[in-house]
C-alpha cells in the first residue's frame, strides 16, 4: 500500500559531549540542542507549536521548556516510559501533525547522569521504596536492574541454546561502528574505557562478569548527553534546509510480569507488527536497524520480536555477521556505536531517531549505501519486568 507522508523529522541535534562536566545542567543541554536542531531544519522558535519532553531530569518537562525558550505551544506531551519515551513521543507528534493539531513539534532530552554519578542499573529494581506496588513485591529481594537483564539473558540461553559467543557479536559490531564515529571515540576516551579500539568476541568473553551471565562489554556505558528533534508537517518540511525523514509507521506496547509469561518476549512482539502494518513494509525491507542496546540481551530480543528472525533464532542471526554498515545483506545495526560504545545517559531512545535520520540523509559516520527505510525501536523500563517498547519506522524522502 502507498506509504503516508504526513509528518517528518526535519531537524536534529545531538549534544557532542558524553561528559559535560560540572556547571552544565540537563536544561542547558536541552535548550542548546533545541536551538541547533531548529538551525538544522532552517526554522526558528516561533515555528514551534508543540513540545514533547519526559520531564524526568531536573523535573523540567514541556511546561518548563516552553517557558525557558519562550514558546507558546498548542500541545505539551510529557509521556515518560523510560528509554523508549522518544519513540512514543515521535509517534504521538506525527499523529497530532497528521490530524492538523499542530505543525512543528520539538522533542528535547538532556541528562547529566555521568557527572551526577548516578547508580543506573546497580540500584534496586524500582528504587521507589516499598510503598509502591512494585517496590513492595520486589525491592526487599535485592534485585538490581542489571541483574534482571542478566536473568533474561540466562533464560534466553537456557530456552533457545543461545551462546555467550553469539551475544558477543552484538558488542563487536556496535564497537566497530563506534570507532568510525569521532564523538563515540571521544566518549570512550573521556569515560576511560580500557581499550578504545575495535573488539573481538573473545574480548567480550574475557571482560569481567557484571551480573551473570552479562559481561562488562555487553553493558551500556553511563554518560551525559542529550539532544533535540524537530518534527514537521509536509507543508513545513517542503521548505526545510535538510531532506526530511518521513515517519511512516508507528507502534507502542507495554508488558509486565505475568504468571506463565515468557520473560524473553518483549513488548516489541506487540508493537513491532503494528508499526510494520502501519508502514506497509516488512522487516526484510529495512536497511537500518537502530535497536535499543542497554545490554546485549535487549538487542537480541528486539531483533526477534520485531520479526527480523524467528523467536529463539537471534543467536544464529547475529552470528551471520551481516549487521555491519558495509554489508549489503543488512540491516546495518546501531551505526553510531549505540549505547554500548557511544552514549547512554539514561533514556537513549532519542539517539535512535538521530542516527536513523542521519542515515536516511546520508550523514552517518558509518553510512549505509542508499538506505530507504530505517527502524528505531526503543525499550524503556526493565526487560523481563514492566517495560514499554516503541517502534518508529522512517523512510527517506
Amino acid at each position: 500500500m502507498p506509504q503516508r507522508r504526513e509528518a517528518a523529522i526535519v531537524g536534529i541535534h545531538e549534544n557532542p559531549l558524553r561528559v559535560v562536566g560540572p556547571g552544565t545542567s540537563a536544561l542547558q543541554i536541552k535548550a542548546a540542542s533545541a536551538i541547533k536542531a531548529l538551525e538544522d531544519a532552517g526554522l526558528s522558535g516561533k515555528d514551534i507549536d508543540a513540545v514533547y519532553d519526559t520531564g524526568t531530569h531536573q523535573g523540567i518537562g514541556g511546561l518548563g521548556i516552553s517557558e525557558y525558550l519562550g514558546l507558546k505551544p498548542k500541545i505539551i506531551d510529557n509521556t515518560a516510559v523510560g528509554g523508549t519515551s522518544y519513540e512514543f513521543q515521535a509517534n504521538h507528534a506525527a499523529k497530532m501533525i497528521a490530524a492538523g493539531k499542530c505543525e512543528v513539534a520539538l522533542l528535547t532530552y538532556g541528562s547529566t547522569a555521568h557527572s551526577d554519578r548516578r547508580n543506573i542499573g546497580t540500584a534496586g529494581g524500582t528504587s521507589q521504596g516499598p510503598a509502591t506496588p512494585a517496590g513492595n513485591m520486589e525491592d526487599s529481594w535485592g534485585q538490581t536492574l542489571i541483574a534482571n537483564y542478566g536473568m533474561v539473558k540466562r533464560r534466553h540461553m537456557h530456552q533457545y541454546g543461545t551462546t555467550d559467543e553469539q551475544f558477543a557479536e552484538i558488542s563487536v559490531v556496535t564497537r566497530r561502528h563506534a570507532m568510525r564515529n569521532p564523538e563515540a571515540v571521544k566518549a570512550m576516551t573521556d569515560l576511560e574505557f580500557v581499550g578504545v579500539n575495535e573488539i573481538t568476541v573473545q574480548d567480550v568473553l574475557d571482560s569481567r562478569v557484571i551480573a551473570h551471565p552479562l559481561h562488562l562489554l555487553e553493558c551500556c556505558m553511563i554518560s551525559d548527553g542529550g539532544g533535540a528533534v524537530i518534527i514537521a508537517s509536509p507543508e513545513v518540511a517542503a521548505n526545510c534546509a535538510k531532506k526530511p525523514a518521513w515517519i511512516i509507521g508507528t507502534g507502542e506496547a507495554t508488558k509486565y510480569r505475568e504468571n506463565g509469561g515468557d520473560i524473553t518476549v518483549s513488548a516489541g512482539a506487540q508493537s513491532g507488527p503494528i508499526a510494520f502494518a502501519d508502514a506497509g513494509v516488512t522487516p526484510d525491507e529495512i536497511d537500518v536497524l537502530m535497536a535499543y542496546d542497554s545490554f546485549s540481551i535487549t538487542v537480541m530480543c528486539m531483533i526477534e520480536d520485531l520479526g527480523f528472525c524467528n523467536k529463539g533464532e537471534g543467536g544464529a542471526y547475529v552470528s551471520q555477521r551481516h549487521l555491519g554498515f558495509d554489508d549489503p545483506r543488512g540491516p546495518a545495526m546501531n551505526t553510531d556505536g549505540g549505547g554500548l560504545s557511544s552514549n547512554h545517559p539514561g533514556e537513549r531512545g532519542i539517539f535512535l531517531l538521530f542516527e536513523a535520520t542521519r542515515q536516511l540523509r546520508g550523514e552517518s559516520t558509518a553510512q549505509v549505501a542508499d538506505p530507504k527505510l530505517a527502524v528505531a525501536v526503543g525499550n524503556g523500563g526493565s526487560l523481563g519486568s514492566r517495560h514499554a517498547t516503541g517502534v518508529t519506522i522512517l523512510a527517506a524522502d
Side-chain angles (χ1 to χ4, degrees), residues 42-273:
L43 299 172
S44 68
K46 62 182 177 55
D47 296 307
I48 296 170
D49 55 3
V51 174
Y52 293 75
D53 188 291
T54 64
T56 52
H57 296 280
Q58 293 187 299
I60 298 170
L63 186 60
I65 288 294
S66 298
E67 180 180 15
Y68 193 77
L69 294 177
L71 308 175
K72 297 187 181 298
K74 301 174 184 176
I75 294 171
I76 288 179
D77 186 332
N78 286 342
T79 297
V81 286
T84 193
S85 296
Y86 289 92
E87 279 67 52
F88 273 62
Q89 292 187 357
N91 296 351
H92 297 175
K95 290 182 175 72
M96 288 295 99
I97 290 170
K101 301 295 185 182
C102 58
E103 285 194 296
V104 180
L106 167 68
L107 284 63
T108 57
Y109 174 61
S111 168
T112 53
H114 172 76
S115 294
D116 296 344
R117 300 297 190 266
R118 292 185 208 151
N119 54 353
I120 298 174
T122 59
T126 63
S127 301
Q128 296 174 14
T132 66
N136 184 53
M137 299 299 294
E138 296 174 11
D139 281 359
S140 58
W141 301 104
Q143 179 87 322
T144 62
L145 183 144
I146 189 172
N148 198 76
Y149 280 83
M151 180 174 65
V152 179
K153 180 188 173 185
R154 188 73 196 98
R155 181 64 191 179
H156 200 283
M157 296 172 75
H158 169 78
Q159 195 160 315
Y160 304 114
T162 321
T163 66
D164 269 326
E165 288 80 3
Q166 290 172 327
F167 278 103
E169 295 284 1
I170 293 168
S171 302
V172 170
V173 71
T174 51
R175 177 63 69 87
R176 178 173 177 243
H177 291 154
M179 293 308 299
R180 298 179 62 87
N181 180 356
E183 292 180 3
V185 171
K186 179 172 173 53
M188 290 184 282
T189 302
D190 290 348
L191 292 169
E192 300 180 344
F193 271 42
V194 176
V196 181
N197 47 249
E198 292 193 25
I199 56 176
T200 66
V201 167
Q202 194 60 48
D203 289 331
V204 179
L205 301 184
D206 288 345
S207 64
R208 70 180 187 273
V209 172
I210 302 299
H212 183 77
L214 284 170
H215 297 81
L216 175 65
L217 292 179
E218 295 178 83
C219 304
C220 67
M221 62 172 67
I222 297 177
S223 71
D224 300 330
V229 172
I230 307 295
I231 301 175
S233 67
E235 293 76 17
V236 174
N239 296 307
C240 284
K242 298 286 186 71
K243 292 193 303 182
W246 296 98
I247 299 175
I248 63 168
T250 66
E252 300 151 29
T254 58
K255 195 171 186 288
Y256 40 84
R257 291 190 180 101
E258 297 175 285
N259 291 336
D262 186 342
I263 63 173
T264 72
V265 177
S266 74
Q270 303 169 57
S271 56

Side-chain angles (χ1 to χ4, degrees), residues 380-395:
S382 182
L383 192 68
S385 179
R386 69 203 58 77
H387 68 272
T389 305
V391 181
T392 307
I393 302 178
L394 301 168

